[in-house]
Amino acid sequence: MMLQYTDQIGREIQLSATPQRIVSLVPSMTELLFDLGLGDRIVGTTHFCAHPEEAGTKAKIGGTKNVKSDRLRALQPDFIVAAKEENERDQIEALAIDFPVFVSDIANLQDAYDAILKIGMITSCKSKSQALVGTIKQRFSQLPKPQQLRRALYFIWRKPYMVAGNDTFITQMMAAAGFENMVDTPRYPELDAAAIQSLDPEYILLSSEPFPFKEKHITEMHTIAPHAQISIVDGEMFSWYGSRLLHAPAYFKQLLL
């Protein structure tokens, strides 16, 4: 009997049994799989899968954008976890010919909950995934609601400067942390110094990933936006959408103070 599921981009996935050899191409989903108790079933991850520490002991199949197909195929996975935003479409489509591939597509918290629950169902961890989502929802519901959101830009890259657009999961997390994303364009637009100055942000958030902004970059940004409050923020809290969401509300609460 074949088990049939639908991923978040509407693709049908068929499995002959509960997955026992899993490859994760998404750092936040790798952490989720471990937190669901599936560490012994994970056979491969990317170089960027840093959490938990045990993920470092798994076979490496390249990066999120440059999967080493030969290494992955040699692992003979019976289930692959990927992400529309983080992985390359042509690579995923090629893998999907031979392997069941679940592709997530996350724009908001509800999408994140849906992904966690679907992964839990596919891996026979339904009750654990339901409990996890319940705890995350409870913690987000307990976040204080600011009277007014603070106008902010969230930078993900330098040279060129790139910011989170208005249709990203990051924008949703910014709102939870009390910030209004001032960018009204989608995806991750580039901004030059003149554009940053014209927006005149109250706050500038420099993410720790994917570009590793450091304290020295605060000084650099002050030359462009001298009136803004500028700080380094934990990019995992704003962009990881697996079990890392358990810790995001406490982190956001500190930013709301």
Side-chain angles (χ1 to χ4, degrees):
M1 177 180 173
M2 296 298 290
L3 304 173
Q4 194 162 11
Y5 304 95
T6 304
D7 70 9
Q8 290 189 299
I9 60 172
R11 296 168 52 261
E12 295 297 324
I13 308 168
Q14 290 189 339
L15 296 97
S16 58
T18 299
Q20 299 299 316
R21 296 185 60 80
I22 304 171
V23 169
S24 175
L25 307 180
V26 189
S28 57
M29 291 291 101
T30 298
E31 183 177 46
L32 169 66
L33 292 167
F34 275 97
D35 284 343
L36 290 176
L38 299 169
D40 60 342
R41 293 197 234 164
I42 299 171
V43 296
T45 66
T46 75
H47 290 298
F48 300 107
C49 295
H51 302 296
E53 187 174 335
E54 187 183 348
T57 67
K58 304 298 180 178
K60 298 306 172 188
I61 47 75
T64 55
K65 300 293 186 184
N66 58 339
V67 175
K68 306 299 183 183
S69 179
D70 55 340
R71 295 183 193 174
L72 189 153
R73 291 175 183 276
L75 295 173
Q76 298 183 318
D78 54 14
F79 185 53
I80 299 172
V81 181
K84 179 180 177 180
E85 181 169 285
E86 297 188 50
N87 304 123
E88 294 296 324
R89 179 176 176 177
D90 59 341
Q91 291 189 324
I92 297 308
E93 289 179 345
L95 290 170
I97 295 173
D98 300 313
F99 306 103
V101 181
F102 178 91
V103 181
S104 63
D105 185 13
I106 313 292
N108 51 53
L109 272 173
Q110 188 55 53
D111 291 340
Y113 298 151
D114 178 68
I116 293 170
L117 293 173
K118 285 189 173 182
I119 293 293
M121 184 175 296
I122 292 170
T123 58
S124 297
C125 295
K126 182 178 178 180
S127 60
K128 287 185 178 179
S129 66
Q130 289 175 331
L132 179 62
V133 167
T135 301
I136 293 170
K137 285 183 175 180
Q138 180 185 39
R139 292 182 182 180
F140 269 91
S141 71
Q142 294 172 344
L143 271 174
K145 300 294 188 292
Q147 292 184 341
Q148 185 174 355
L149 296 178
R150 298 164 287 181
R151 298 163 55 252
L153 295 176
Y154 185 100
F155 284 78
I156 65 162
W157 203 256
R158 176 178 178 268
K159 291 187 177 180
Y161 287 126
M162 295 175 66
V163 295
N166 64 354
D167 63 344
T168 60
F169 183 70
I170 290 172
T171 291
Q172 292 273 315
M173 296 299 97
M174 288 175 67
F179 298 100
E180 175 190 0
N181 191 347
M182 299 177 65
V183 178
D184 59 5
T185 52
R187 311 313 301 145
Y188 300 96
E190 296 180 12
L191 293 183
D192 59 19
I196 297 169
Q197 290 168 351
S198 67
L199 287 169
D200 190 26
E202 295 178 78
Y203 291 82
I204 287 178
L205 309 177
L206 303 178
S207 179
S208 62
E209 64 163 46
F211 181 85
F213 282 101
K214 305 295 183 184
E215 292 296 324
K216 64 182 180 181
H217 299 119
I218 293 179
T219 301
E220 174 183 284
M221 190 60 70
H222 264 307
T223 65
I224 300 172
H227 304 300
Q229 293 193 43
I230 305 171
S231 57
I232 308 291
V233 295
D234 187 338
E236 293 176 1
M237 297 299 181
F238 283 87
S239 62
W240 284 36
Y241 40 76
S243 47
R244 179 60 42 146
L245 290 171
L246 283 170
H247 312 290
Y251 180 76
F252 294 160
K253 189 173 182 179
Q254 293 177 344
L255 298 180
L256 283 163
L257 297 177

